[in-house]
């Protein structure tokens, strides 16, 4: 009986600790968003004419309704010297025609199209990018997802963060305004749950980077074996970031978000994407299997039970009060990330849907991937079959990783 009492006491202390950790994450992410995101820092601004030249590597596969408008934003960047290297794996891919159309429309822009890729490993994205990487002219390489759209000064913002001791600049993933419930669902997730972990990890010194939009020093990548060295990994973004950090370079975050604007989206696609991310995280870092306890409803129940055991609080009263506080914190953070007035009524409707989805993603298996994966935990991939999907298929590889 004494052993059972000790176990209950230990679980209660764990719940109290969980409460402290989760609310510290809430506070860190909200404060960071308010102080850094969408802010201009004059002390970091370099003279326009002295901004370093950049090679943009753009992996493409397939076409969606927003592809041409997204790509066009890169042709209209306000930046003194950069090149656009468009990469398409197959000659019969419809993305080729989109690229040729933009190349013809903007002849003054230094842009080239690379078709065919170069097989150097099992990662299809790296294979697609290799010819462009080898042909890149400049010392800074910007790898950016096909579904991202940018503002005229986005590259300027990235380059300004690339200070003397910084080796990688990344952007917080978010989602552009689009029509429909599924679009709002993505916005709520990428404006609440995702940045809470992403930002608090980076502030606390944990290297947490997504590959949706990353500006990196090419010479540092070359020291690690070049881009091709990461073709043996599924989560190439994690291992590139780790290689840069291992060489003593710091990371910085852009003040602008990495704005996802895919023209193909649905609730099913969003859920499948979350499942893929979760399962790949578990295979890379098995400890992430405990992530569900950081979600609102599960955490509220666990912490409510701990509060009842330690302080004799009413569990249900605590549960509802804790959920309400969590809801308010999420809304404050979403408004900070979006930087616009979010529709409160739609937020209430969608917020109640994202929490169960974040938990249910753990119930499905890796079989939802449009490919066959065989890899060792946290190590080199052994086999992967060809990915066949839309232009957002690369997004299954853009998984944020935690590494100290």
């Amino acid at each position: 009986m004494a052993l059972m009492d000790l176990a209950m006491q230990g679980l209660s202390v764990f719940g109290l600790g969980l409460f402290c950790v989760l609310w510290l994450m809430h506070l860190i992410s909200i404060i960071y968003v308010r102080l850094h995101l969408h802010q201009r820092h004059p002390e970091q601004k370099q003279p326009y004419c002295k901004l370093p030249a950049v090679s943009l590597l753009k992996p493409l596969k397939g076409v969606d309704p927003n592809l041409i408008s997204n790509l066009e934003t890169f042709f209209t960047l306000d930046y003194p010297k950069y090149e656009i290297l468009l990469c398409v794996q197959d000659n019969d891919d419809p993305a080729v025609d989109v690229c040729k159309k933009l190349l013809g429309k903007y002849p003054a822009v230094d842009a080239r199209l690379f078709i065919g890729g170069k097989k150097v490993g099992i990662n299809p994205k790296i294979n697609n990018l290799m010819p462009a990487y080898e042909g890149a002219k400049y010392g800074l390489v910007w790898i950016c997802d096909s579904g991202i759209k940018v503002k005229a000064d986005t590259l300027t913002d990235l380059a300004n963060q690339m200070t003397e001791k910084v080796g990688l600049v990344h952007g917080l993933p978010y989602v552009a305004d689009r029509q429909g419930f599924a679009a709002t669902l993505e916005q709520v997730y990428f404006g609440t749950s995702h940045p809470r972990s992403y930002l608090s990890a980076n502030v606390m010194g944990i290297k947490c980077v997504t590959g949706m939009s990353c500006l990196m020093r090419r010479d540092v990548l070359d020291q690690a074996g070049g881009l091709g060295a990461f073709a043996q990994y599924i989560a190439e973004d994690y291992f590139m970031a780790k290689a840069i950090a291992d060489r003593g370079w710091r990371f910085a975050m852009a003040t602008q978000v990495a704005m996802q604007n895919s023209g193909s989206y649905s609730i099913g696609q969003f859920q499948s994407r979350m499942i893929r991310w979760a399962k790949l995280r578990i295979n890379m870092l098995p400890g992430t299997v405990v992530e569900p306890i950081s979600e609102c409803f599960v955490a509220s129940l666990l912490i409510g039970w701990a509060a009842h055991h330690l302080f004799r609080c009413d569990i249900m009263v605590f549960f509802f009060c804790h959920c309400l506080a969590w809801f308010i914190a999420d809304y404050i953070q979403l408004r900070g990330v979006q930087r616009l007035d979010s529709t409160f009524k739609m937020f209430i409707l969608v917020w109640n849907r994202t929490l169960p989805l974040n938990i249910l993603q753990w119930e499905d298996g890796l079989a939802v991937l449009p490919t066959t994966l065989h890899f060792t935990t946290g190590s080199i991939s052994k086999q992967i079959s060809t990915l066949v999907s839309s232009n957002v298929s690369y997004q299954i590889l853009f998984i944020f990783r935690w590494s100290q």
Side-chain angles (χ1 to χ4, degrees):
M1 194 64 180
L3 185 60
M4 179 62 71
D5 290 339
L6 183 63
M8 298 289 278
Q9 193 72 17
L11 186 59
S12 300
V13 173
F14 172 78
L16 187 61
L18 180 65
F19 173 83
C20 296
V21 170
L22 292 178
W23 281 99
L24 178 62
M25 291 171 64
H26 272 292
L27 290 173
I28 288 174
S29 60
I30 289 173
I31 292 172
Y32 187 88
V33 164
R34 293 290 173 174
L35 295 181
H36 180 78
L37 216 58
H38 309 292
Q39 302 294 325
R40 296 186 181 276
H41 301 278
E43 71 279 3
Q44 295 179 337
K45 189 174 182 180
Q46 302 180 53
Y48 182 82
C49 60
K50 293 185 178 181
L51 288 169
V54 175
S55 294
L56 165 62
L57 275 60
K58 199 74 173 170
L60 303 171
K61 184 177 179 65
V63 172
D64 70 29
N66 291 344
L67 178 62
I68 190 166
S69 60
N70 290 337
L71 279 180
E72 192 164 12
T73 62
F74 291 88
F75 282 80
T76 57
L77 285 167
D78 181 15
Y79 198 80
K81 194 171 186 179
Y82 72 103
E83 62 174 346
I84 300 176
L85 309 178
L86 304 169
C87 308
V88 183
Q89 185 69 47
D90 301 315
N91 194 50
D92 57 353
D93 193 310
V96 172
D97 293 332
V98 172
C99 294
K100 290 180 177 179
K101 181 177 180 179
L102 289 172
L103 291 173
K105 185 176 180 179
Y106 297 94
V109 176
D110 184 3
R112 288 175 282 164
L113 173 61
F114 294 82
I115 302 175
K118 179 181 179 182
K119 187 169 180 58
V120 291
I122 54 82
N123 189 312
K125 176 190 170 189
I126 299 296
N127 291 338
N128 192 9
L129 291 175
M130 277 307 298
Y133 181 81
E134 294 173 348
K137 297 185 291 187
Y138 304 128
L140 292 182
V141 175
W142 181 19
I143 299 179
C144 192
D145 182 16
S146 64
I148 299 292
K149 75 171 184 178
V150 295
K151 298 179 180 179
D153 61 343
T154 295
L155 183 50
T156 301
D157 175 49
L158 289 166
N160 279 328
Q161 308 303 319
M162 185 65 78
T163 54
E164 184 179 349
K165 297 181 179 180
V166 173
L168 181 150
V169 181
H170 56 111
L172 173 69
Y174 190 55
V175 184
D177 289 327
R178 296 168 298 178
Q179 296 296 317
F181 181 86
T184 308
L185 181 68
E186 288 192 354
Q187 277 195 326
V188 171
Y189 171 76
F190 282 102
T192 58
S193 178
H194 186 270
R196 182 167 57 251
S197 300
Y198 193 92
L199 295 176
S200 57
N202 278 286
V203 170
M204 290 186 291
I206 300 172
K207 306 307 180 186
C208 185
V209 175
T210 67
M212 293 184 191
S213 177
C214 283
L215 182 66
M216 295 170 283
R217 295 183 184 274
R218 180 173 178 172
D219 59 340
V220 181
L221 287 178
D222 287 340
Q223 291 171 18
L227 188 64
F230 303 98
Q232 60 187 320
Y233 304 112
I234 294 299
E236 83 294 331
D237 53 351
Y238 165 75
F239 287 102
M240 285 192 287
K242 186 177 185 300
I244 292 171
D246 288 346
R247 284 161 177 75
W249 293 90
R250 293 165 46 193
F251 295 174
M253 189 178 297
T255 65
Q256 295 184 20
V257 297
M259 191 66 78
Q260 304 169 78
N261 189 41
S262 173
S264 175
Y265 54 93
S266 67
I267 296 175
Q269 287 177 325
F270 172 76
Q271 178 65 1
S272 294
R273 184 183 186 189
M274 294 300 100
I275 292 169
R276 291 194 297 265
W277 284 18
K279 296 309 174 184
L280 285 169
R281 285 201 302 277
I282 290 173
N283 277 274
M284 294 296 299
L285 298 172
T288 57
V289 72
V290 301
E291 281 185 14
I293 67 172
S294 68
E295 299 299 335
C296 177
F297 294 154
V298 176
S300 296
L301 284 172
L302 181 57
I303 296 170
W305 178 87
H308 171 73
H309 187 79
L310 293 173
F311 310 114
R312 299 304 172 191
C313 297
D314 186 283
I315 294 179
M316 294 312 296
V317 171
F318 186 94
F319 174 81
F320 287 112
C321 289
H322 190 262
C323 287
L324 177 61
W326 194 295
F327 170 85
I328 293 171
D330 273 356
Y331 185 69
I332 292 172
Q333 181 170 286
L334 176 64
R335 290 194 60 172
V337 173
Q338 188 170 355
R339 212 59 176 178
L340 296 170
D341 288 336
S342 304
T343 304
F344 189 71
K345 184 183 296 185
M346 181 61 76
F347 176 73
I348 295 175
L349 180 64
V350 174
W351 186 82
N352 284 298
R353 301 298 189 273
T354 58
L355 299 179
L357 285 175
N358 290 342
I359 297 170
L360 289 173
Q361 68 186 17
W362 300 89
E363 296 182 358
D364 289 315
L366 196 58
V368 298
L369 282 165
T371 184
T372 301
L373 300 179
H374 300 287
F375 50 89
T376 56
T377 301
S379 187
I380 299 173
S381 304
K382 295 179 180 178
Q383 178 182 337
I384 180 173
S385 63
T386 304
L387 288 172
V388 180
S389 185
S390 66
N391 74 304
V392 297
S393 62
Y394 288 120
Q395 292 178 354
I396 71 165
L397 304 175
F398 298 149
I399 304 155
F400 71 83
R401 304 292 187 207
W402 289 18
S403 173
Q404 291 183 309

